[in-house]
Amino acid sequence: MPAATKVRSPAVTQTRAAEDYLEQIHNLIEAKGYARVVDIAQNLSISQASVTNMIQKLDAEGYLVYERYRGVILTESGRRVGKAIAKRHDILTRLLTSFGIDKDTVHKDVEGMEHHISKSTLKVLTLILEELEGNAELLKRLKKKME
Ligand code: ZN
């Protein structure tokens, strides 16, 4: 193994921040067909300079392609990460919202949890959500226990 490989710092994409970027970029592309630095900065409440900095790292690691005038395009691996986080975000948000938890709390909790749950845990939560969404009686009964 070449020496340069050994001293390489951990991949930036293994961080929570990188996952948030890929999630936002994925959402923007889904909604608008493209993702610009200005929109990413706004959605993440981060300066455009910081966004450009992170995007260059993600580009170098092969998660996206950044073209100054066209904006950001996700590669296959970037899309995989962005989509997975967006999916966790959606399932967790729907599950907590169905219990009537307030929007701010849901948002705060989901933004943390979406980076930590495994594939199998997500599967369990998805099954519970589907069951609850199809069974108003059960949801009502559970919600009553929260009072
Ligand atoms: Zn999220």
Side-chain angles (χ1 to χ4, degrees):
M1 188 185 284
T5 311
K6 280 188 209 156
V7 296
R8 196 166 171 250
S9 57
V12 67
T13 38
Q14 282 165 12
T15 65
R16 181 185 158 152
E19 289 187 342
D20 281 332
Y21 273 81
L22 294 170
E23 178 192 15
Q24 279 307 323
I25 294 164
H26 171 79
N27 288 344
L28 282 165
I29 291 172
E30 288 281 292
K32 303 167 78 168
Y34 57 87
R36 293 179 309 164
V37 168
V38 58
D39 296 323
I40 300 164
Q42 195 180 10
N43 288 6
L44 291 171
S45 307
I46 292 171
S47 75
Q48 287 192 44
S50 303
V51 171
T52 304
N53 188 38
M54 175 62 105
I55 278 173
Q56 282 164 352
K57 287 181 191 161
L58 291 168
D59 187 326
E61 290 186 17
Y63 287 87
L64 54 80
V65 177
Y66 175 46
E67 286 171 18
R68 204 172 165 151
Y69 298 101
R70 281 211 301 159
V72 176
I73 297 154
L74 292 176
T75 62
E76 191 49 44
S77 50
R79 212 166 57 87
R80 204 178 330 115
V81 176
K83 205 175 159 186
I85 302 292
K87 189 180 172 190
R88 291 182 210 166
H89 184 111
D90 175 57
I91 299 294
L92 291 164
T93 299
R94 278 159 59 195
L95 184 60
L96 296 176
T97 303
S98 67
F99 281 89
I101 296 175
D102 72 275
K103 221 177 147 187
D104 285 350
T105 305
V106 169
H107 184 74
K108 197 167 141 268
D109 287 351
V110 169
E111 283 307 314
M113 288 191 288
E114 68 185 10
H115 302 286
H116 297 287
I117 60 174
S118 65
K119 213 170 178 180
S120 37
T121 298
L122 182 67
K123 183 76 201 168
V124 169
L125 296 176
T126 304
L127 290 172
I128 292 170
L129 175 66
E130 284 168 1
E131 190 65 31
L132 289 173
E133 285 182 344
N135 190 338
E137 266 314 302
L138 174 59
L139 181 60
K140 208 169 130 191
R141 195 148 46 83
L142 292 174
K143 277 174 85 173
K144 211 161 167 66
K145 292 186 182 184
M146 289 177 69
E147 286 162 11

